[in-house]
Amino acid sequence: MFLACTRDCYDTCIFRPIYEGGRLARLLPIGDFPTLGFTCARGAADVKRLNSPRRVKRPLLRGERQTLEVSWERALEELSARLKAADPSRIIHIDYDGNQGLLTWYFPARLFNLLGTAATDYSICSSEGHEAIKLHWGRSYGAMPEELSKRPVVFWALDAATSFIHGWALAKRAKNPVAAVDVVWTKTMKSADLPVVVRPGTDVVLALGISREIIQRKSYDAEFVERYTYGFDKFVEYVDKFTPEYVEAETGVPRTVFYKLVEFYLRRPITVIGFAIGRTENGGDAARAISLIHALLGDPAGFFYSNSGAWGINFAYLRGLHVAKPSKVVPMGLVGARISEFDVVYVWNANPVLTLPQGDRIAAAAERGDITLAVHTPFMDETAEAAHIVLPAPLYLEKDDVVYSYWHNYLVYNPAAAQPPGEAIRETLVMRRLAEMLGVADHQLMREDPWEAVDVAIRGAGVTLEELKERGVVRLKPPNYYTYPTATGRVEFYSETAARRGLPPLPRYEPPPRDRLVLTFPPNPLYTNSQFRDVYGEPPPLVRMNPSDYVGDCVVLWNEYGEVKLRAVADPEVPRGVAIYLGVGKDLEGRPINAVSRGEPGPYGGTPKLYTTYVYARTC
Ligand SMILES: Nc1nc2c(c(=O)[nH]1)N[C@H]1C(S)=C(S)[C@@H](COP(=O)(O)OP(=O)(O)OC[C@H]3O[C@@H](n4cnc5c(=O)[nH]c(N)nc54)[C@H](O)[C@@H]3O)O[C@H]1N2
Ligand SMILES: Nc1nc2c(c(=O)[nH]1)N[C@H]1C(S)=C(S)[C@@H](COP(=O)(O)OP(=O)(O)OC[C@H]3O[C@@H](n4cnc5c(=O)[nH]c(N)nc54)[C@H](O)[C@@H]3O)O[C@H]1N2
Ligand code: SF4
Ligand SMILES: [Mo]
């Protein structure tokens, strides 16, 4: 029996559950690939969370004066009455990756798609890079995990030592050289053989400069270029202006370091392109340009961004998109700003009040009574605190599900390993009951048993549910790296696919302003986004900045979105013009840090540019 961690994390650790006295006592990381016998601070604390005092155990209804525990019947009657009263386009569901199980995250959206409500574009994390890379490759998947131990690795916009610990361990244990590209000195940067500090939002220039140099030196793979690519000549012409001098002037990377990185690339490394790149200024364009270096090198499995599309799992089927569609799609970074378009907001598997740009506006709208906010969650988080209806959900260890990884190719059947507390009920069942109350239970989308839907969805990955349940873990086939579903059927240096959609055919660069302080968010080792504060407490309301940007030990960071008040530390290790807040959290007054973060969607996949949030600083 195996269990896979369902958190939004590259690693998707696989464990063996250890029982003592009939109760789940701990999770033992498997010694084999890909978990290598160790896990993180969160994986080590999961069992403890089963009995956390922060668990929601019974449905709650918030009234004028007090919050009451109520029966499921009463809570769902209230919710279905609100849903019935609202125009479907004024209902939105916000769900993200608090738990990556197929039944927990994906399947419940069926009901909302059937009702024709609004949905988000699921863009908060990685869609910008997915869509950007697809413009050239027709797909966004890349290297298989084992490759990280076979070749040099470049971690680009990713603090792998903190947020991708098994990828990091594979690269480090192999003793091949490691390079890193970041805007600050993270743990990864400090232990990389070649750390490269870039100015925020300028990675695209660095990547195009590397391509220019590879072309100039005639070090590209002419045979691959000839046989598999399209638009090489236009690309050659385009990159010509990205000279080492221009690269240095725009990115701040000294020429000596730039040449070292070029030489690093001539050793055919794997580039791990961090999802974070898509959350930066020019980030989608950077992802495009970085991926194209590997086309020049004739190495179509040379980059790794996300392998979620590699296995053939039919996520759209789970969400019922083969039959029904949302009436409107709102970029995740703009839900807070556009909250007046809605009457009912239903949340599961996410904590948008804290994690989305301007998520505080969702809480404010609920407080004013402008929206009905309902959330299905295992924990009393910020969204639950603001909600009118709170429904208790089981944690991943308390329900069976199927778990995939966006990094490795092991599909896992997770059996339930513990009893849910109180009256916690799984997501699929809540949807079933709601469907009955709303009179749509007979629709084909709701009639299909959730497990049957999972069986259909994973067939494309070459496995049946029966086989998966029997074996516990199934190793999936690596994808084909030599077919390119683009407009021309080739890897497009010059993207006809983009041109047909009215998008720039070549990666574009808009110089970011240099006179603004950039607030960015390297990962915090103790949490996954907003999770695990029940174990490790609140992260400190602290920002670190260069002494030349420091204005005092209490600082107000402000911009057009709002302001936050933080404790400040002057740190010469932080480059000028950058301010760091680790991960997700709040300010000194309990306001979400994301009250100031940038919600503006990126041009390709709509991901908000929150990691390049421009702010001004003043003393408190
Ligand atoms: N411990 C821990 N692990 C996690 C998470 C967590 O919260 N904590 N979150 C999980 C999730 S949801 C995700 S998406 C992944 C996060 O993975 P990613 O988002 O892919 O990357 P991070 O490791 O958060 O690191 C992002 C890095 O980008 C840098 N950066 C910011 N702006 C720029 C820029 O313009 N250029 C470049 N080159 N770098 C820039 C930041 O300084 C930071 O070090 O990790 C997962 N794992
Ligand atoms: N300032 C700042 N903001 C960020 C980021 C950052 O680095 N800095 N990172 C961004 C990124 S990369 C991401 S992916 C998003 C993540 O944004 P979210 O997906 O909102 O983040 P999590 O904190 O992982 O929220 C997960 C929620 O799901 C709930 N949950 C966990 N398991 C289950 C379950 O089985 N069932 C149900 N119903 N609920 C469950 C948890 O209790 C938690 O409240 O945040 C983004 N926001
Ligand atoms: S959060 Fe990531 S590293 Fe930690 S147990 Fe889960 S998958 Fe493993
Ligand atoms: Mo993420």
Side-chain angles (χ1 to χ4, degrees):
M1 172 174 172
F2 297 97
L3 288 164
C5 171
T6 57
R7 259 177 307 277
D8 187 355
C9 182
Y10 290 95
D11 307 60
T12 313
C13 290
I14 304 174
F15 304 104
R16 280 200 178 274
I18 306 292
Y19 294 89
E20 281 165 17
R23 295 178 76 115
L24 181 65
R26 68 202 162 85
L27 300 173
L28 185 70
I30 59 163
D32 299 337
F33 188 83
T35 307
L36 314 171
F38 72 98
T39 185
C40 71
R42 295 147 285 153
D46 262 316
V47 173
K48 224 192 297 179
R49 294 184 94 199
L50 297 173
N51 302 309
S52 163
R54 299 287 293 164
R55 291 293 300 267
V56 181
K57 297 200 176 109
R58 265 163 270 285
L60 304 172
L61 267 191
R62 169 159 306 133
E64 290 275 304
R65 276 189 299 276
Q66 55 182 339
T67 302
L68 292 177
E69 280 189 358
V70 295
S71 65
W72 268 99
E73 195 63 20
R74 173 80 191 85
L76 291 182
E77 263 168 17
E78 184 71 28
L79 176 58
S80 61
R82 304 288 178 118
L83 290 170
K84 276 184 196 154
D87 184 89
S89 69
R90 293 188 61 83
I91 300 169
I92 189 166
H93 60 99
I94 308 176
D95 47 296
Y96 207 70
D97 196 353
N99 173 331
Q100 203 163 276
L102 298 185
L103 288 179
T104 300
W105 183 14
Y106 299 91
F107 187 85
R110 266 192 181 199
L111 173 64
F112 292 92
N113 288 330
L114 168 59
L115 297 173
T117 71
T120 74
D121 62 351
Y122 297 101
S123 64
I124 189 63
C125 183
S126 63
S127 61
E128 183 72 2
H130 276 293
E131 296 310 315
I133 293 169
K134 280 188 204 161
L135 294 176
H136 300 281
W137 297 82
R139 45 96 170 163
S140 53
Y141 59 75
M144 285 297 104
E146 292 87 343
E147 296 299 315
L148 293 181
S149 57
K150 294 185 187 153
R151 303 212 239 158
V153 182
V154 183
F155 290 102
W156 198 314
L158 174 73
D159 180 11
T162 304
S163 64
F164 183 14
I165 56 173
H166 293 89
W168 176 247
L170 284 177
K172 287 303 270 187
R173 286 179 188 182
K175 299 208 179 343
N176 290 319
V178 166
V181 185
D182 205 297
V183 294
V184 297
W185 287 95
T186 59
K187 192 172 167 191
T188 301
M189 287 282 279
K190 286 181 188 170
S191 46
D193 303 290
L194 178 59
V196 180
V197 180
V198 287
R199 264 191 212 114
T202 66
D203 304 78
V204 57
V205 176
L206 182 59
L208 293 173
I210 293 168
S211 284
R212 178 185 180 276
E213 203 58 29
I214 293 173
I215 294 165
Q216 293 266 313
R217 296 184 190 195
K218 300 215 175 349
S219 299
Y220 60 92
D221 183 335
E223 205 184 306
F224 180 85
V225 167
E226 169 66 30
R227 183 148 175 221
Y228 291 107
T229 75
Y230 169 87
F232 180 63
D233 294 346
K234 283 184 184 153
F235 184 70
V236 172
E237 196 181 312
Y238 179 68
V239 297
D240 199 46
K241 68 171 182 272
F242 295 88
T243 60
E245 294 73 25
Y246 182 68
V247 170
E248 178 166 337
E250 287 304 308
T251 65
V253 177
R255 241 164 299 171
T256 47
V257 178
F258 170 71
Y259 286 126
K260 281 188 193 160
L261 188 57
V262 170
E263 270 137 37
F264 200 95
Y265 267 102
L266 296 181
R267 302 174 67 175
R268 291 171 63 87
I270 298 287
T271 309
V272 180
I273 309 172
F275 292 164
I277 200 79
R279 294 178 221 120
T280 66
E281 189 76 88
N282 297 311
D285 291 286
R288 297 174 68 174
I290 298 166
S291 74
L292 288 178
I293 299 173
H294 296 278
L296 279 181
L297 296 172
D299 191 12
F303 64 87
F304 162 65
Y305 178 72
S306 161
N307 286 337
S308 57
W311 319 130
I313 300 171
N314 195 342
F315 301 110
Y317 184 83
L318 290 167
R319 287 187 173 132
L321 294 169
H322 55 298
V323 173
K325 290 223 164 17
S327 50
K328 148 163 129 181
V329 175
V330 182
M332 279 185 111
L334 297 180
V335 173
R338 291 173 55 178
I339 196 66
S340 64
E341 294 175 25
F342 302 102
D343 299 326
V344 184
V345 177
Y346 184 81
V347 178
W348 76 96
N349 225 18
N351 183 11
V353 167
L354 198 68
T355 56
L356 294 190
Q358 285 78 66
D360 55 313
R361 296 189 196 179
I362 302 172
E367 177 71 34
R368 286 193 304 271
D370 294 351
I371 57 167
T372 297
L373 179 61
V375 59
H376 188 198
T377 177
F379 287 100
M380 206 61 205
D381 58 16
E382 287 69 16
T383 305
E385 273 159 14
H388 304 99
I389 304 169
V390 183
L391 307 171
L395 274 174
Y396 91 85
L397 295 168
E398 298 162 344
K399 57 193 162 195
D400 51 356
D401 211 332
V402 169
V403 188
Y404 75 98
S405 168
Y406 45 71
W407 175 46
H408 63 65
N409 50 330
Y410 294 82
L411 191 67
V412 183
Y413 168 70
N414 270 13
Q419 282 292 323
E423 295 172 16
I425 292 181
R426 68 182 309 165
E427 291 69 13
T428 45
L429 261 180
V430 175
M431 290 304 118
R432 162 108 233 127
R433 288 202 189 170
L434 265 181
E436 281 159 12
M437 286 180 170
L438 295 169
V440 293
D442 285 338
H443 190 277
Q444 65 175 106
L445 281 181
M446 301 315 299
R447 267 202 329 263
E448 186 177 32
D449 181 82
W451 283 107
E452 274 166 28
V454 167
D455 189 38
V456 174
I458 64 174
R459 295 252 169 166
V463 53
T464 64
L465 183 63
E466 196 186 345
E467 184 189 357
L468 180 64
K469 278 189 167 174
E470 203 178 288
R471 292 172 52 192
V473 178
V474 170
R475 188 162 183 206
L476 304 174
K477 262 202 342 267
N480 181 342
Y481 293 106
Y482 289 88
T483 53
Y484 308 106
T486 56
T488 60
R490 292 170 157 246
V491 184
E492 297 179 342
F493 279 109
Y494 178 92
S495 174
E496 289 294 346
T497 308
R500 285 184 194 177
R501 287 191 220 149
L503 294 168
L506 291 154
R508 222 176 23 177
Y509 174 58
E510 295 272 350
R514 292 222 185 144
D515 58 341
R516 303 280 299 268
L517 188 61
V518 170
L519 174 64
T520 199
F521 303 99
N524 193 318
L526 295 179
Y527 313 94
T528 301
N529 307 315
S530 77
Q531 301 194 62
F532 282 88
R533 289 171 301 148
D534 52 305
V535 178
Y536 297 113
E538 290 292 327
L542 180 84
V543 67
R544 283 191 291 138
M545 52 219 286
N546 185 273
S548 66
D549 297 314
Y550 179 77
V551 291
D553 62 1
C554 179
V555 66
V556 176
L557 300 180
W558 61 278
N559 58 19
E560 64 272 36
Y561 300 117
E563 57 180 56
V564 287
K565 193 191 272 190
L566 297 155
R567 210 145 44 75
V569 171
D571 181 349
E573 253 189 19
V574 179
R576 271 180 92 147
V578 181
I580 301 177
Y581 183 100
L582 290 193
V584 189
K586 299 183 218 170
D587 77 351
L588 281 164
E589 291 169 349
R591 211 174 297 129
I593 185 74
N594 281 330
V596 296
S597 67
R598 201 165 162 204
E600 182 190 334
Y604 307 120
T607 300
K609 302 180 185 178
L610 76 153
Y611 279 28
T612 315
T613 287
Y614 300 115
V615 289
Y616 296 101
R618 63 165 196 267
T619 52
C620 296

